[in-house]
Amino acid sequence: MPQRDDLPGRRRNPFGSRLLGAVDQSARALRIRVQVLLTLLLVTTNLIGAGLVFLISSFMVPAPRPSAATVVALAIAVPVYVAVAVVVGASVGTATTLRALRWATAGRSPDDGDRRTALRVPLRLTQMQALLWLGATVLFTLLAVLIQPGRATATGLTVGIAGLIVSGVAYLLSEFALRPISARALADERVSSRPRGAGVGARMVIFWVLGTATPVTGLAIAAVLALVDDQTSLERLAVITLVLCAVVLSFGLLITILNARSVVAPIVSVRDALLDVEQGRFDREVVVYDGTELGMLQSGFNQMVQGLREREHIRDVFGRHVGREVAEAASSGLVELGGETRVVSVVFVDLVGSTTYASEHSPAEVVAVLNRFFGVVVDEVDRHHGLVNKFIGDAVLAIFGAPVELPDHAGAALAAARAMAERLAVEVPEIGAGVGVATGEVVAGNVGHHERFEYTVIGDAVNSASRLTDLAKDVEGRLLVSWESVESAGEDEARRWRREGSTVLRGRAGPTDLAVPV
């Protein structure tokens, strides 16, 4: 699978946007970022909504054309009210929000009350926006009643519908700006059975009402007003309809896009994290910043990865004790209690004079030598796809061909033995080691009790390798193998060995042909 080089860049946007900063940003940076974003987003939304209301109510609503007094009143009232609304929204709204989120900006952990308050902030800001627009609806309707009664109904409906739409946009933008706060509130939360607040389905219905049903209702009301207004010409009705359709489509599209992004962003974060886990990066976590089912999805992913990390840690520890091949075979059910007959090659390595060396050196020096010795042996066995089956004091038993099949197990065992003999002479010069290799039929599997067992190999090849190791301690190069292993090896490896007589190994009735490196 190709590497995803873009994933580090995605991790730099844990909340779905660079505007929201990093997870570990300071409390001061978080406070400033939230205050600036909330102010800019809410002020901009309200200004656009107010501008559209002014244009539509003045020139496009199917009602008597605004009189000079109406135009003057709107020209004065709209800027004044908008300015007041902006000041209230920017100061009171953000100040109230920051006070409610003081725990986050102060860098301390939240309690249950803090979490509930943090997750309700977008709703509180939306309620404040709705109240401001309700006030605008009442104010401008009363002005119309006093100055030009024929426009009162159209004005009230226009401002009211615009207020609903702007409130919906304000909720989505507030929720976006407050994702870092929600993430800190939900950081220690586990998956719950119920979402906090309105779920995804309820949100979809609510924003359909705000983004589609409400503007279409306004369009229908405009059509009704045009029908009852005898002064409305067909040409003007067509213009009004086109303009209102443009407004409906624009605001509906805006709310749909914002709502879609609020849903897609958590899903994308989980998708990218899953790709990381697929590549073995079990340290991956997703920032949880949504209180709905999407947040439950993010939190559930983190719990899943935690379980995978724990399982991988157990498998790693298990593999270090019994060998990774044995661990993988055991976990997949390939190794059964009782074992199976296999033809394998066995490498046995044993130190020379280790008892004398231990009596003449400190324990720390002995351990250091043993670690270097074991390091060389394990490295070469792994490099040639064998299994270090067990450490027996200052000796090592390695298997090639079990539990995982190895086509040229004899060649791999011989190559590993040559390499480790050469390296031990250079890297562990303080003490020698004999290396023996034998090939033959063994029983490989789990022995012991079903409550506690060990993977091992039992058979003549194991005994022969041990006897050859004892003899190897007295030959040049300290490496001695059975000729049967050389005959079983591939041609490339076999030509690196030559016969070196024969001997009767202890415990065997017949002679064993021997071989040493060329």
Side-chain angles (χ1 to χ4, degrees):
M1 175 177 291
Q3 296 294 321
R4 291 177 55 86
D5 296 332
D6 60 325
L7 285 175
R10 292 181 182 272
R11 292 196 192 103
R12 288 195 292 269
N13 304 322
F15 306 111
S17 173
R18 294 183 180 179
L19 294 175
L20 301 178
V23 176
D24 56 352
Q25 59 187 307
S26 66
R28 181 174 181 274
L30 177 61
R31 179 181 61 79
I32 295 174
R33 188 184 300 275
V34 169
Q35 189 168 9
V36 171
L37 281 176
L38 281 177
T39 302
L40 290 177
L41 294 175
L42 295 180
V43 168
T44 302
T45 303
N46 283 282
L47 288 176
I48 294 174
L52 287 174
V53 167
F54 180 77
L55 292 175
I56 293 174
S57 63
S58 298
F59 306 107
M60 301 170 190
V61 173
R65 292 188 179 276
S67 63
T70 301
V71 173
V72 172
L74 289 176
I76 296 174
V78 170
V80 171
Y81 188 85
V82 168
V84 172
V86 166
V87 170
V88 172
S91 59
V92 178
T94 55
T96 302
T97 300
L98 292 174
R99 280 199 301 272
L101 304 176
R102 191 171 297 164
W103 61 268
T105 56
R108 64 179 178 84
S109 298
D111 55 27
D112 289 339
D114 293 331
R115 290 191 182 94
R116 286 194 296 270
T117 302
L119 296 176
R120 288 175 182 171
V121 167
L123 180 59
R124 291 176 56 192
L125 290 176
T126 303
Q127 290 171 342
M128 185 188 69
Q129 296 295 320
L131 286 175
L132 291 173
W133 278 90
L134 178 61
T137 303
V138 173
L139 173 63
F140 292 117
T141 302
L142 290 176
L143 284 176
V145 169
L146 295 175
I147 300 173
Q148 194 175 2
R151 294 186 58 84
T153 302
T155 300
L157 289 173
T158 301
V159 179
I161 291 173
L164 288 175
I165 297 174
V166 170
S167 296
V169 175
Y171 177 84
L172 291 169
L173 293 178
S174 301
E175 191 178 49
F176 167 78
L178 290 166
R179 282 179 184 176
I181 299 291
S182 300
R184 297 195 179 195
L186 296 170
D188 299 325
E189 285 279 278
R190 295 180 67 84
V191 170
S192 60
S193 58
R194 297 179 60 186
R196 295 177 178 268
V200 176
R203 280 172 51 173
M204 292 293 183
V205 174
I206 292 171
F207 291 117
W208 174 83
V209 171
L210 295 176
T212 302
T214 299
V216 170
T217 301
L219 184 61
I221 293 174
V224 172
L225 293 175
L227 290 175
V228 300
D229 185 7
D230 296 334
Q231 298 179 356
T232 303
S233 65
L234 292 177
E235 181 180 353
R236 187 182 176 201
L237 179 60
V239 173
I240 291 170
T241 303
L242 290 175
V243 172
L244 289 177
C245 285
V247 173
V248 170
L249 292 174
S250 300
F251 273 95
L253 178 62
L254 176 61
I255 288 183
T256 301
I257 290 175
L258 292 176
N259 193 29
R261 287 178 64 86
S262 70
V263 172
V264 169
I267 296 175
V268 169
S269 67
V270 174
R271 180 204 64 188
D272 291 339
L274 283 172
L275 292 174
D276 273 1
V277 172
E278 185 180 0
Q279 296 179 3
R281 301 170 185 166
F282 296 107
D283 59 338
R284 189 75 157 90
E285 285 194 353
V286 173
V287 178
V288 182
Y289 54 78
D290 193 292
T292 67
E293 294 92 341
L294 298 173
M296 295 167 60
L297 174 66
Q298 293 174 314
S299 180
F301 171 84
N302 290 339
Q303 293 182 40
M304 179 198 71
V305 174
Q306 181 180 357
L308 290 176
R309 279 198 301 267
E310 293 174 355
R311 189 179 73 174
E312 186 65 18
H313 175 69
I314 293 173
R315 188 166 69 173
D316 180 64
V317 173
F318 182 42
R320 291 174 186 270
H321 280 82
V322 304
R324 302 192 186 281
E325 292 84 358
V326 174
E328 292 178 1
S331 62
S332 61
L334 297 179
V335 179
E336 299 178 357
L337 186 64
E340 56 184 340
T341 301
R342 289 277 190 93
V343 176
V344 302
S345 294
V346 180
V347 177
F348 202 90
V349 190
D350 189 19
L351 289 177
V352 178
S354 57
T355 303
T356 303
Y357 184 86
S359 65
E360 296 175 352
H361 295 79
S362 67
E365 291 176 310
V366 174
V367 171
V369 169
L370 285 175
N371 285 339
R372 280 189 284 127
F373 163 67
F374 290 138
V376 170
V377 174
V378 172
D379 184 37
E380 291 302 329
V381 171
D382 286 345
R383 194 161 65 89
H384 292 86
H385 311 291
L387 165 68
V388 175
N389 182 238
K390 58 171 60 74
F391 298 103
I392 311 170
D394 57 2
V396 180
L397 172 64
I399 312 165
F400 293 79
V404 179
E405 291 282 355
L406 192 61
D408 187 13
H409 56 80
L414 293 173
R418 283 191 301 103
M420 68 178 65
E422 294 172 0
R423 288 185 57 185
L424 288 172
V426 176
E427 299 180 29
V428 194
E430 302 93 332
I431 191 169
V435 182
V437 180
T439 299
E441 190 175 85
V442 299
V443 175
N446 295 313
V447 297
H449 187 265
H450 69 277
E451 293 289 341
R452 178 70 173 88
F453 51 80
E454 177 187 34
Y455 184 85
T456 189
V457 290
I458 301 173
D460 182 63
V462 180
N463 298 329
S464 297
S466 176
R467 306 292 185 264
L468 290 171
T469 301
D470 290 335
L471 297 177
K473 297 177 182 179
D474 298 322
V475 302
E476 184 180 357
R478 290 179 174 169
L479 174 57
L480 196 62
V481 306
S482 69
W483 183 250
E484 183 179 358
S485 296
V486 177
E487 289 181 323
S488 301
E491 182 179 352
D492 290 342
E493 182 61 32
R495 60 186 176 82
R496 299 174 181 271
W497 300 83
R498 60 179 175 83
R499 285 181 179 272
E500 186 67 15
S502 63
T503 187
V504 178
L505 300 177
R506 182 162 53 89
R508 299 192 68 176
T512 299
D513 294 330
L514 307 177
V516 294
V518 174

